[in-house]
Amino acid sequence: GTGKKVKTFAGHSREVMSVAFSPDGKFVISGSMDNAIKLWDVAKGIELGTSLGHTRDVNSIVFSPDGNTVVSGSADQTTRVWDIPSRKELASLVSFTEGGWLSMTPEKYFCGSPDAAKIISIRFMKSLYTLDNFVEIFFRPDIIKGRLERLAPSKTKLMDLSKGFKTPPIMTLLAKRSDGTFGVIATDSTEIIQGVIRVKAIAKNNGGGIYSVRLANNGKTIGESFKGAKATKPNEIFEQEFSVSLNEGANRLGAVGISDDRSESNASVGMITYVLPKHIKPDLYILSMGINTYQNETYNLRYCESDAVEFADVLRSKTKKFFGNVYPKNLINQEATRANVLKVFEEVKSKCKPDDVFVFFYAGQGIVLDIPEDKTTKSEYFYVLSDVAQMSDPIKVSQEGLSGTEIKKILTDIKATKQLLFIDAYNADGTSNESALAKLSRASGAAILASTANDQLALEFKDLEYDPFAWALMDALKDGQITPTGIKNHMDEKIPDLIKKYKAEERPRSPFIWGPDFPIGVKP
């Protein structure tokens, strides 16, 4: 009103670049070229606290509408969210020019777009790792969501990657030669017998133990051994041999060692090219499951049965010309028992070849539960099959449902290196579901396109006679989209149109995708 100076807040050691008032006018927040953020009491003219985290100038700053959080932008290329009452950083947000993004807590729990974790690196004991090496423990969208919503902290004690981790094994990958010795993998020296080679993964304990050794071909896990846990002393060696059925063309083999706290080593990689004696069209195996009717009627759903049947029909009709044979199998309602599902998986495992394609569609209930493991608990995702009578009972669900760990083992044993999963699960928390499926995709090498919904959402789309995820998926297949990314892009375009057309109050979650992108079929 007078144009006169009222107060001066002194405390930054360099130029102040940004200032903002809280919505109620009681506080001022400032960002400076000294990398610090300071909170000031307007009436008293005193500093209330300093927040440090940015590594370069803090160029922009703003309060949230409720005044409880502050968002800052910096020349260090991060945006950070701060909690005002505690003065602590909640999360840092990073975006990439290619469109990727990553959110991360100070302890390094993170979530982000596929492959974003491969861009952020951590240097530890003269070795360089990416966040991607720590997916098993630190990929936690639920923790990010809780922090940004300022929810009460979890009672579970969290780890802190910034304080160190158990260093993963040092890996070497060799292949058997025609003279019986093992050497560097090479097309001209490796022994190939009817399209199969023998490789040896050698893990050296680097101080963090050896939980397991995992082998992948072109990103698809083809074997894992847990016997390495016996190599308990530093520098102790564990060796595991694997038989590898080669794909036609390039084969990129990678061996990864996993430490006792589930940190992953950088892969030891070898390349080999294989030419089939005669080109043979691959086969397509489809397992489509839809469960409307459960033993416990309170879990019953509406459209899963019809969605599963139509999915198999549409996929078969759109891709049959690409394949030598198409083998569809539907398990509907009471057919979808644990025994029946495992039987079908065994049949696929016995017949599937490396160049074949396996597609799995699941529509039904899904849930994340904490189950006992090694005197502690771990979160496990479960496909709730028709015999499950009580979803809240971890023991019953383990006995009558199908866990993500079991699915990982099944996908590993199925030789098809192109595997695609469509998961349309109800009654599943979105962030926990995404975390579980992302880890499944990374551990198995399968591409997963998934979403979550609730029964109220199905009610709002009753005139459509489809679940929105399934409708958009079917529309993508009918449109000729036969790659995971192509299908997702089509669904992202169509789902908002459904919301507008049916004026739904409940917004369907956009599908999320993890894993490699590839055509379901390749034209001969």
Side-chain angles (χ1 to χ4, degrees):
T2 64
K4 294 181 179 180
K5 179 171 67 176
V6 178
K7 281 191 177 73
T8 298
F9 302 135
H12 284 292
S13 61
R14 294 195 62 190
E15 295 91 330
V16 174
M17 304 298 293
S18 50
V19 176
F21 273 95
S22 62
D24 59 11
K26 294 181 180 179
F27 305 101
V28 165
I29 197 88
S30 59
S32 166
M33 288 180 69
D34 62 9
N35 309 340
I37 296 170
K38 292 182 179 291
L39 179 68
W40 310 87
D41 184 300
V42 173
K44 297 178 181 179
I46 60 173
E47 179 185 331
L48 297 176
T50 298
S51 297
L52 299 174
H54 283 298
T55 57
R56 292 189 62 189
D57 311 353
V58 181
N59 294 323
S60 56
I61 200 161
V62 66
F63 273 94
S64 63
D66 64 7
N68 288 321
T69 54
V70 162
V71 180
S72 59
S74 167
D76 66 10
Q77 306 300 310
T78 69
T79 299
R80 298 182 188 241
V81 184
W82 309 83
D83 180 63
I84 287 297
S86 67
R87 316 287 195 269
K88 293 182 178 179
E89 180 185 332
L90 297 175
S92 59
L93 317 174
V94 185
S95 60
F96 307 107
T97 54
E98 296 80 8
W101 61 274
L102 186 133
S103 302
M104 181 171 59
T105 71
E107 303 91 349
K108 305 300 181 284
Y109 288 96
F110 68 94
C111 66
S113 55
D115 296 331
K118 296 178 181 178
I119 300 174
I120 305 295
S121 296
I122 295 173
R123 184 178 296 280
F124 182 68
M125 294 180 65
K126 298 183 180 180
S127 294
L128 197 64
Y129 304 90
T130 68
L131 279 181
D132 195 49
N133 292 67
F134 307 96
V135 164
E136 185 64 29
I137 300 297
F138 286 90
F139 182 83
R140 292 290 299 273
D142 56 319
I143 291 179
I144 299 292
K145 182 174 184 290
R147 291 285 178 88
L148 294 179
E149 294 181 354
R150 299 179 68 249
L151 301 178
S154 169
K155 295 181 181 179
T156 304
K157 185 178 180 180
L158 300 180
M159 298 174 66
D160 189 342
L161 189 60
S162 63
K163 294 181 179 179
F165 50 91
K166 292 190 175 182
T167 50
I170 298 171
M171 298 300 299
T172 304
L173 184 62
L174 305 173
K176 188 177 181 180
R177 298 167 171 168
S178 56
D179 62 3
T181 63
F182 283 83
V184 176
I185 298 175
T187 303
D188 57 355
S189 61
T190 299
E191 181 182 60
I192 304 176
I193 301 176
Q194 296 181 336
V196 177
I197 65 172
R198 192 75 176 167
V199 301
K200 181 187 293 185
I202 304 172
K204 180 181 179 181
N205 189 335
N206 197 25
I210 304 174
Y211 173 74
S212 71
V213 171
R214 184 183 300 157
L215 182 69
N217 185 10
N218 292 336
K220 193 265 178 183
T221 299
I222 56 177
E224 185 168 11
S225 173
F226 295 88
K227 299 176 184 177
K230 297 179 180 179
T232 57
K233 299 178 182 178
N235 298 320
E236 192 170 356
I237 298 294
F238 167 68
E239 298 182 356
Q240 179 64 50
E241 292 188 19
F242 298 91
S243 290
V244 180
S245 297
L246 299 175
N247 297 316
E248 183 176 22
N251 293 261
R252 185 181 187 274
L253 303 177
V256 170
I258 301 171
S259 68
D260 289 340
D261 67 357
R262 309 303 189 266
S263 300
E264 296 184 10
S265 73
N266 296 317
S268 178
V269 177
M271 298 289 297
I272 187 168
T273 301
Y274 176 62
V275 179
L276 280 171
K278 180 182 178 182
H279 179 76
I280 302 173
K281 278 187 177 183
D283 294 331
L284 171 64
Y285 293 83
I286 306 170
L287 173 55
S288 189
M289 295 171 55
I291 309 174
N292 280 353
T293 307
Y294 281 86
Q295 186 181 109
N296 185 333
E297 293 182 357
T298 61
Y299 302 155
N300 288 354
L301 299 169
R302 286 172 173 76
Y303 308 127
C304 299
E305 174 185 347
S306 56
D307 290 348
V309 172
E310 183 167 355
F311 170 81
D313 289 343
V314 172
L315 183 61
R316 178 175 54 182
S317 67
K318 289 294 180 180
T319 62
K320 61 183 180 182
K321 65 180 179 180
F322 300 150
F323 297 97
N325 298 285
V326 178
Y327 299 104
K329 178 66 177 179
N330 295 340
L331 292 178
I332 306 300
N333 293 327
Q334 281 72 29
E335 297 174 340
T337 64
R338 178 180 171 86
N340 286 344
V341 173
L342 292 177
K343 181 180 178 181
V344 173
F345 277 131
E346 282 297 320
E347 292 174 355
V348 174
K349 186 171 70 173
S350 67
K351 298 176 182 178
C352 223
K353 303 180 294 297
D355 287 316
D356 293 338
V357 177
F358 173 62
V359 177
F360 176 48
F361 176 91
Y362 176 81
Q365 299 280 9
I367 193 168
V368 176
L369 295 173
D370 290 331
I371 61 172
E373 184 188 60
D374 298 334
K375 298 180 181 181
T376 182
T377 60
K378 74 168 184 176
S379 293
E380 182 76 83
Y381 182 79
F382 287 93
Y383 301 82
V384 182
L385 305 181
S386 62
D387 284 347
V388 175
Q390 184 53 260
M391 280 200 292
S392 61
D393 186 338
I395 295 177
K396 288 291 186 182
V397 175
S398 298
Q399 293 172 345
E400 299 160 354
L402 200 63
S403 72
T405 298
E406 290 176 295
I407 288 288
K408 184 188 81 169
K409 178 66 166 58
I410 289 167
L411 297 178
T412 298
D413 290 342
I414 293 175
K415 291 182 179 180
T417 51
K418 292 181 180 178
Q419 300 181 1
L420 178 56
L421 280 63
F422 296 96
I423 308 299
D424 192 11
Y426 286 73
N427 197 38
D429 173 70
T431 52
S432 296
N433 184 38
E434 181 174 0
S435 175
L437 293 176
K439 292 171 184 177
L440 172 62
S441 174
R442 192 176 185 280
S444 66
I448 300 178
L449 188 65
S451 186
T452 56
N454 58 48
D455 207 27
Q456 175 61 35
L457 180 60
L459 279 172
E460 294 186 16
F461 287 86
K462 60 184 178 181
D463 293 338
L464 185 66
E465 296 184 354
Y466 277 101
D467 169 273
F469 175 90
W471 183 91
L473 168 59
M474 241 70 78
D475 193 66
L477 293 175
K478 292 173 183 177
D479 188 58
Q481 302 294 335
I482 58 170
T483 70
T485 299
I487 293 170
K488 183 188 184 304
N489 291 341
H490 188 94
M491 295 174 73
D492 285 341
E493 179 183 339
K494 293 297 181 179
I495 286 178
D497 293 341
L498 291 179
I499 297 171
K500 184 177 180 180
K501 180 176 180 179
Y502 290 93
K503 300 180 175 61
E505 295 180 7
E506 186 77 25
R507 184 180 181 87
R509 280 176 54 83
S510 295
F512 50 88
I513 185 172
W514 285 91
D517 193 39
F518 54 78
I520 297 174
V522 180
K523 294 182 180 180

